[in-house]
Amino acid sequence: MLRSDYSIRMYEWLKDEYNKHKRYNHNIEVVYKVDYLRDRFEIPKSYRWDNIKDRILDKAREDLLKHTD
């Protein structure tokens, strides 16, 4: 149901983070640097921050809210 590879990777990554921390707190905040996201999601170097936010993070967030737990 997820529309992009980035959404799938984001779901798997966040679900893994949730599973690591769920016994402590149900609300988890994850903060990463842009360079880490580039490496983790194999984002092309040509993407600027606004491209990453609009094309990857915002769309993945929309997909996750709509199609996942």
Side-chain angles (χ1 to χ4, degrees), residues 7-33:
S7 295
I8 294 167
R9 285 189 224 158
M10 179 73 75
Y11 177 77
E12 291 170 345
W13 187 25
L14 292 174
K15 196 66 168 177
D16 185 48
E17 288 292 324
Y18 174 79
N19 288 334
K20 286 183 203 174
H21 298 94
K22 71 180 176 184
R23 66 179 163 214
Y24 303 114
N25 187 350
H26 290 289
N27 297 319
I28 298 167
E29 182 176 321
V30 182
V31 178
Y32 294 104
K33 294 185 182 231

Side-chain angles (χ1 to χ4, degrees), residues 32-45:
Y32 294 104
K33 294 185 182 231
V34 175
D35 290 335
Y36 181 79
L37 292 174
R38 283 185 189 280
D39 291 340
R40 181 76 182 204
F41 292 115
E42 300 174 4
I43 299 170
K45 293 289 183 187

